[in-house]
Amino acid sequence: MGSPPRGVSVAYSLPEAGCTSLSLGDTIGTGTPGHVLELLDMERGMGIAFEQIALHFRDTYGQPSPTSRQH
């Protein structure tokens, strides 16, 4: 992934706006366990607690089961 995706930057600003939780979704089903772990690590590195994050995965390419088991 490299540099943080735009969504991570936006997510970082949400607590300042009063948000108490963040829901992340892979709506096209292409996320992999590695991508999700990297994204969560970036968000936790920005101070977003794991308990504040919800995850949603689609089954377009058969990835939601292996991806969600990583957490």
Side-chain angles (χ1 to χ4, degrees):
M1 267 185 175
S3 62
R6 186 174 192 285
V8 174
S9 300
V10 171
Y12 182 68
S13 67
L14 292 175
E16 293 175 6
C19 292
T20 58
S21 63
L22 176 65
S23 180
L24 304 172
D26 173 18
T27 60
I28 61 172
T30 60
T32 66
H35 290 138
V36 173
L37 288 174
E38 189 172 350
L39 180 64
L40 290 173
D41 285 344
M42 286 182 209
E43 293 191 355
R44 287 186 287 213
M46 293 181 163
I48 300 170
F50 186 74
E51 295 79 16
Q52 294 175 284
I53 301 172
L55 303 169
H56 173 83
F57 303 104
R58 295 273 183 185
D59 192 14
T60 308
Y61 298 99
Q63 288 295 324
S65 293
T67 301
S68 60
R69 287 187 188 130
Q70 294 293 317
H71 312 294

mmCIF file of all heavy atoms in Angstrom, residues 24-31 56-60:
data_model
loop_
_atom_site.group_PDB
_atom_site.id
_atom_site.type_symbol
_atom_site.label_atom_id
_atom_site.label_comp_id
_atom_site.label_asym_id
_atom_site.label_seq_id
_atom_site.Cartn_x
_atom_site.Cartn_y
_atom_site.Cartn_z
ATOM 1 N N LEU A 24 -15.479 0.675 8.313
ATOM 2 C CA LEU A 24 -14.734 0.517 7.062
ATOM 3 C C LEU A 24 -15.355 -0.614 6.256
ATOM 4 O O LEU A 24 -15.659 -1.671 6.798
ATOM 5 C CB LEU A 24 -13.272 0.184 7.348
ATOM 6 C CG LEU A 24 -12.517 1.165 8.222
ATOM 7 C CD1 LEU A 24 -11.145 0.607 8.570
ATOM 8 C CD2 LEU A 24 -12.393 2.504 7.529
ATOM 9 N N GLY A 25 -15.554 -0.393 4.967
ATOM 10 C CA GLY A 25 -16.158 -1.426 4.136
ATOM 11 C C GLY A 25 -15.403 -1.649 2.848
ATOM 12 O O GLY A 25 -14.927 -0.719 2.226
ATOM 13 N N ASP A 26 -15.297 -2.918 2.482
ATOM 14 C CA ASP A 26 -14.757 -3.292 1.183
ATOM 15 C C ASP A 26 -15.973 -3.651 0.333
ATOM 16 O O ASP A 26 -16.437 -4.784 0.345
ATOM 17 C CB ASP A 26 -13.807 -4.469 1.324
ATOM 18 C CG ASP A 26 -13.349 -5.013 -0.017
ATOM 19 O OD1 ASP A 26 -13.484 -4.299 -1.031
ATOM 20 O OD2 ASP A 26 -12.865 -6.156 -0.057
ATOM 21 N N THR A 27 -16.500 -2.677 -0.374
ATOM 22 C CA THR A 27 -17.767 -2.876 -1.082
ATOM 23 C C THR A 27 -17.634 -3.599 -2.413
ATOM 24 O O THR A 27 -18.638 -3.990 -2.991
ATOM 25 C CB THR A 27 -18.481 -1.527 -1.317
ATOM 26 O OG1 THR A 27 -17.627 -0.687 -2.093
ATOM 27 C CG2 THR A 27 -18.812 -0.858 0.003
ATOM 28 N N ILE A 28 -16.398 -3.787 -2.907
ATOM 29 C CA ILE A 28 -16.249 -4.515 -4.166
ATOM 30 C C ILE A 28 -15.594 -5.880 -3.968
ATOM 31 O O ILE A 28 -15.442 -6.647 -4.909
ATOM 32 C CB ILE A 28 -15.483 -3.688 -5.219
ATOM 33 C CG1 ILE A 28 -14.085 -3.341 -4.750
ATOM 34 C CG2 ILE A 28 -16.276 -2.449 -5.585
ATOM 35 C CD1 ILE A 28 -13.229 -2.684 -5.827
ATOM 36 N N GLY A 29 -15.202 -6.192 -2.743
ATOM 37 C CA GLY A 29 -14.715 -7.538 -2.429
ATOM 38 C C GLY A 29 -13.301 -7.860 -2.857
ATOM 39 O O GLY A 29 -12.956 -9.022 -3.002
ATOM 40 N N THR A 30 -12.454 -6.861 -3.041
ATOM 41 C CA THR A 30 -11.088 -7.134 -3.481
ATOM 42 C C THR A 30 -10.052 -7.030 -2.367
ATOM 43 O O THR A 30 -8.869 -7.286 -2.598
ATOM 44 C CB THR A 30 -10.676 -6.180 -4.626
ATOM 45 O OG1 THR A 30 -10.763 -4.836 -4.153
ATOM 46 C CG2 THR A 30 -11.568 -6.365 -5.845
ATOM 47 N N GLY A 31 -10.471 -6.660 -1.182
ATOM 48 C CA GLY A 31 -9.530 -6.547 -0.062
ATOM 49 C C GLY A 31 -8.954 -7.898 0.317
ATOM 50 O O GLY A 31 -9.609 -8.927 0.210
ATOM 51 N N HIS A 56 -16.664 -4.309 7.358
ATOM 52 C CA HIS A 56 -17.674 -4.961 6.529
ATOM 53 C C HIS A 56 -17.004 -5.420 5.236
ATOM 54 O O HIS A 56 -16.330 -4.634 4.578
ATOM 55 C CB HIS A 56 -18.810 -3.973 6.210
ATOM 56 C CG HIS A 56 -19.794 -4.517 5.226
ATOM 57 N ND1 HIS A 56 -20.826 -5.332 5.604
ATOM 58 C CD2 HIS A 56 -19.885 -4.369 3.882
ATOM 59 C CE1 HIS A 56 -21.530 -5.659 4.532
ATOM 60 N NE2 HIS A 56 -20.974 -5.095 3.474
ATOM 61 N N PHE A 57 -17.192 -6.704 4.868
ATOM 62 C CA PHE A 57 -16.548 -7.252 3.676
ATOM 63 C C PHE A 57 -17.565 -7.904 2.751
ATOM 64 O O PHE A 57 -18.457 -8.604 3.201
ATOM 65 C CB PHE A 57 -15.503 -8.303 4.071
ATOM 66 C CG PHE A 57 -14.459 -7.775 5.007
ATOM 67 C CD1 PHE A 57 -14.495 -8.092 6.349
ATOM 68 C CD2 PHE A 57 -13.454 -6.952 4.543
ATOM 69 C CE1 PHE A 57 -13.539 -7.598 7.219
ATOM 70 C CE2 PHE A 57 -12.496 -6.446 5.401
ATOM 71 C CZ PHE A 57 -12.536 -6.773 6.737
ATOM 72 N N ARG A 58 -17.421 -7.695 1.455
ATOM 73 C CA ARG A 58 -18.251 -8.331 0.431
ATOM 74 C C ARG A 58 -17.585 -9.626 -0.023
ATOM 75 O O ARG A 58 -16.391 -9.809 0.131
ATOM 76 C CB ARG A 58 -18.408 -7.411 -0.791
ATOM 77 C CG ARG A 58 -19.153 -6.165 -0.523
ATOM 78 C CD ARG A 58 -20.612 -6.414 -0.697
ATOM 79 N NE ARG A 58 -21.313 -5.145 -0.489
ATOM 80 C CZ ARG A 58 -22.599 -5.054 -0.488
ATOM 81 N NH1 ARG A 58 -23.334 -6.108 -0.707
ATOM 82 N NH2 ARG A 58 -23.177 -3.901 -0.288
ATOM 83 N N ASP A 59 -18.384 -10.494 -0.623
ATOM 84 C CA ASP A 59 -17.891 -11.794 -1.074
ATOM 85 C C ASP A 59 -17.758 -11.881 -2.590
ATOM 86 O O ASP A 59 -17.927 -12.932 -3.179
ATOM 87 C CB ASP A 59 -18.824 -12.893 -0.575
ATOM 88 C CG ASP A 59 -18.225 -14.280 -0.747
ATOM 89 O OD1 ASP A 59 -17.016 -14.371 -1.000
ATOM 90 O OD2 ASP A 59 -18.969 -15.252 -0.649
ATOM 91 N N THR A 60 -17.454 -10.797 -3.250
ATOM 92 C CA THR A 60 -17.352 -10.792 -4.703
ATOM 93 C C THR A 60 -16.264 -11.744 -5.207
ATOM 94 O O THR A 60 -16.456 -12.453 -6.175
ATOM 95 C CB THR A 60 -17.063 -9.368 -5.218
ATOM 96 O OG1 THR A 60 -18.024 -8.486 -4.652
ATOM 97 C CG2 THR A 60 -17.136 -9.298 -6.724
#
